[in-house]
Amino acid sequence: MTRDMAFFEFLCRMGDNTLVLGHRVSEWCGHAPVLEEDIALANTALDLIGQTQMWLGLAGEVEGEGRSADDLAMLRDAWDFRNVLLAEQPNGDFGQTMMRQYLFDQAHVLLLQKLAGSSDERVAGIAAKAVKEVAYHVERSRDTVIGLGDGTSESHRRMQAALDLLWPYAGEMFTDDEVSGIMAGEGIAPEPSSLRAAWDAAVQETMSEATLVIPDSDFAHAGGKTGFRHSEHLGHMLTQMQWLQRAYPGARW
Amino acid sequence: MTRDMAFFEFLCRMGDNTLVLGHRVSEWCGHAPVLEEDIALANTALDLIGQTQMWLGLAGEVEGEGRSADDLAMLRDAWDFRNVLLAEQPNGDFGQTMMRQYLFDQAHVLLLQKLAGSSDERVAGIAAKAVKEVAYHVERSRDTVIGLGDGTSESHRRMQAALDLLWPYAGEMFTDDEVSGIMAGEGIAPEPSSLRAAWDAAVQETMSEATLVIPDSDFAHAGGKTGFRHSEHLGHMLTQMQWLQRAYPGARW
Amino acid sequence: PEKLAAFQARIDAGEKIEPKDWMPLGYRKTLIRQIGQHAHSEIVGQLPEGNWITRAPTLERKAILLAKVQDEAGHGLYLYCAAETLGVTRDEITEMLLDGRMKYSSIFNYPTLTWADMGAVGWLVDGAAIMNQVPLQRTSFGPYSRAMIRICKEESFHQRQGYDIMMKMANGTPAQKKMAQDALNRFWYPSLMMFGPSDKESVHSEQSMAWKIKMNTNDELRQKFVDQTVPQAEYLGLTVPDENLKWNEETGHYDFSQPDWSEFFDVLKGNGPCNRERLAARNKAWDDGKWVRDGLLAHAEKKAARKVAAE
Amino acid sequence: PEKLAAFQARIDAGEKIEPKDWMPLGYRKTLIRQIGQHAHSEIVGQLPEGNWITRAPTLERKAILLAKVQDEAGHGLYLYCAAETLGVTRDEITEMLLDGRMKYSSIFNYPTLTWADMGAVGWLVDGAAIMNQVPLQRTSFGPYSRAMIRICKEESFHQRQGYDIMMKMANGTPAQKKMAQDALNRFWYPSLMMFGPSDKESVHSEQSMAWKIKMNTNDELRQKFVDQTVPQAEYLGLTVPDENLKWNEETGHYDFSQPDWSEFFDVLKGNGPCNRERLAARNKAWDDGKWVRDGLLAHAEKKAARKVAAE
């Protein structure tokens, strides 16, 4: 695999994560449990879509075949997506949504902090902008996980169920492979495994404040960020996300 | 409006009703309350899709622009669909699905009986085949509405709620307009309003056996069969139904 | 009666009434109803546009639409706060929305069926809303007036975005142009209805005008909207779906057809195309969210208690 | 022990055991487990294919897929009936499926991600299933044997339909061909796993073979499947994702790589890509359907009572 191929893969991983998770979060619009949450979720989705424009924009640039961020977002089928499985999991209840958000945000912020020092200026620039937004996301999702974990017995039960459900999807964020090896070698991005210890410590602290118990299993689903095997959920998401571009090819909006 | 334009519209109304309702019913696949219902619902969907092939096939023939049944099903946007709003209403619970089915089937069977004597041989031929299937559909959906209406207090409550919910969508099946006027004038199809009395009598009898009360309002939503204003549900349905044809234009399957 | 006269005098003098000031019960009630309805409209108004967020055609359009819907939620928030200064809690009036005691603008009972509807909603619906709202910046109740100033600024931004979508569509492919025309066909009359029935049939109008809660008559505003919108439609190359529409040299205004008021009253009664879906969506959000609100409240109380215990 | 010997003698003589005949407890239990698992597999097996019914590319493909999923439900029905002759009700074993006490074929814990998966499932999954089921037409238990005869006929029809989809894709556009290859890549090893672990590690095998509940060893069937499938893949112009695959002149069979058995045991433990979704979907259908089952039962009872009263 050439450096540029790996770089393109890496950028798709970044941009597809924010695209797919941003889409999921945007599904809440108008349906959140309380008005402030509606606003906050829309804000998170907005940040993630903005980051998608930057990551996929750069991906298209690196690929050099003239594909724009929109082309990459709207005209690839499921197998070409490189987001982790966690990002495409359905919203479930609000607790499940916030648990997914926290597990992701906590890894996202650690990664972006490193990327702000990337050997590639463009990556460093995007990361420097995104890390500020994501620092706010993680603060908020962490608070919500703690508030609901340490809330009523029902909210506690639901948050524990969300953690149990989503835990097997967390590990994929920290697996290394050929792509990440090349990126680390070039100093563009750290090996994902190098972030695990800091993530574990932060998550452990949050869950303990939230009075939630981290599952005892280290089993981790895989197949999202390599594109080998997404879940059935992604394809359904794309039917919506890409509808207009597919139905009216070449139109400008 | 020319005769052929009206004929095309009429055939789209027939075929879009069966297409859209068949799609809705097929959403139950693998999720019905009991195995026999899974089989019966799949069977109903199968019949409706088969009828769609015939109606839309003939529509394409009448239009004379080389569009196949698949082209019409897969490549029109929501505004070009001519199904009644009732057909596109979401499944809701099983009771809502069966109530929708019964209200539709009861009108469908009356219409097809008349169409079997259409002045257009092709219409008469399709109707003669379809009416046998639909006679079975209405027998089944009627029995289920009665069984659940006159079942437990919960099933009664749910069926009454379904009837209240769907009643305002029934009237659209019986409104006359320019298209139906031309069809009636040509002896191709009866005026929808001419079927109302028989439908009312049948529905009244069914609901009374089901111990359900027909709502006192004659308000009727409109806009489906003219295409002027579908519900928001149809567009979402099309993102799924048409996905592959939109994403891979021109491919053969 | 003396207090009443003094109150009216303050209003006539252009003074703002503030929450702690004395005010007649009717003034308070009318304002709660009006601000509450307006707040609810912002909240329910998220739904028709929210319907297209997951199908927005480009990342930029998706971001713009998200930002807009977020603004609407923000407007709801300001307005609920303004209503709260009149002694009614947000939960109270939310429940009145959910059980049907309070209304929201009927326009949101119409469906959004194509992407062009995102343009039409911005251009026509926000346009009509602004027409209603601009004069309310001068309304007599201080918190309401200040909320309206802030809201109007954002709304006119939304309207421009909506018009921009229409422009792209109207100058796009034939299918896009057809979509744009179709959206105008569906939203024209419902937008005219947004100003309410003709003044002759409108209740409470006189008292509200004296109190400067209502600043113009419905017919004045409707005419102003038509006069402003028709040239915009022409510029887009779209046809307003009204055979009677024509410029009247004498009056200096457009003559136009009234909307079908029986449809208006049907929608008000709950028979609009989407009344049921909209209220069901809000009720579901509220019911499904109960455990979240309870959970966060319980946590806040625990935290406060721990803090007290630690002191 | 005498009874046991006589029972074994009947089996050895090729007689069918019928529900009312005496049979050893182990025979009954093993059959209930095996037939139940098979029935559950048909039921859960509706889900991965059902996932594409609403996205089928043409009306004809949609009809074919609907018919197929309907057949699977029908197979479930025959098999539950066969199990019921052994003294266990459909509801009892359904609940064992839902709470995880009984299993279904692990293959259905893999997702269907493209339309080509509808082809791969028919071609490979049904192909492997048939390979398992054909010998079971000669199984010793009468009702099971008769159910298998009926099922095998339909399954081989499904397999041909699946292969037909693959053919269309493999001869289609480059994107379709890529889809077909991708489906083969994902379903190849899971299909090999359908025959179960190697004979050395397989439990209960010997007794089941003596009882003619199991007719061939896992490895025999797997080899047969590979030998049959590889030329079909070649005919399609697709590449089996196994670097070690090659024809062995000496043995007259293909040499091939074993699947990753640790993945197999992960999936068995509940960690397959879709275990949770599949069981959740079936549990939801069951729970949501309770009021329907109760309602229809109550109505049937009322009707019967009315009939008695009228007599």
Side-chain angles (χ1 to χ4, degrees), chain C residues 15 35 52 55 127 149 167 175 188 216 237 250 252 257 260 275 278 302:
Chain C
E15 279 182 50
I35 300 176
W52 280 89
R55 286 177 289 177
I149 289 170
M167 186 88 87
W188 175 255
N216 300 78
E250 252 169 78
S257 302
D260 175 0
N275 294 55
R278 301 296 185 234
K302 282 187 204 179

Side-chain angles (χ1 to χ4, degrees), chain B residues 45-58:
Chain B
L46 195 51
D47 288 343
L48 292 171
I49 297 304
Q51 293 168 22
T52 304
Q53 289 178 289
M54 297 189 286
W55 291 123
L56 293 185
L58 182 53

Side-chain angles (χ1 to χ4, degrees), chain C residues 246-292:
Chain C
K246 69 160 187 289
W247 178 251
N248 184 326
E249 285 286 353
E250 252 169 78
T251 60
H253 292 293
Y254 283 95
D255 293 339
F256 61 95
S257 302
Q258 287 293 309
D260 175 0
W261 290 110
S262 71
E263 179 180 314
F264 177 79
F265 290 109
D266 266 341
V267 177
L268 262 194
K269 267 196 303 189
N271 281 330
C274 305
N275 294 55
R276 187 171 53 75
E277 278 97 338
R278 301 296 185 234
L279 265 189
R282 290 309 306 165
N283 270 290
K284 185 172 188 309
W286 187 250
D287 296 344
D288 287 356
K290 184 173 188 315
W291 73 270
V292 176

Side-chain angles (χ1 to χ4, degrees), chain A residues 145-167:
Chain A
V145 165
I146 291 171
L148 293 174
D150 181 40
T152 61
S153 63
E154 185 184 1
S155 73
H156 176 84
R157 180 184 61 73
R158 284 177 182 258
M159 296 310 286
Q160 185 65 54
L163 179 57
D164 293 345
L165 186 78
L166 295 171
W167 186 252

Side-chain angles (χ1 to χ4, degrees), chain A residues 80-141:
Chain A
D80 284 328
F81 274 69
R82 295 294 180 262
N83 58 284
V84 290
L85 297 172
L86 179 66
E88 71 198 43
Q89 293 307 300
N91 283 340
D93 67 11
F94 182 76
Q96 195 174 316
T97 293
M98 294 310 297
M99 183 60 77
R100 181 186 63 198
Q101 194 66 35
Y102 171 66
L103 297 175
F104 181 83
D105 288 345
Q106 187 64 68
H108 202 197
V109 77
L110 291 168
L111 174 58
L112 290 170
Q113 283 163 359
K114 296 286 181 191
L115 291 179
S118 170
S119 64
D120 185 283
E121 268 179 24
R122 298 164 300 179
V123 170
I126 296 171
K129 183 169 185 313
V131 75
K132 287 178 215 148
E133 296 167 350
V134 174
Y136 177 70
H137 299 172
V138 72
E139 188 185 315
R140 228 195 117 262
S141 59

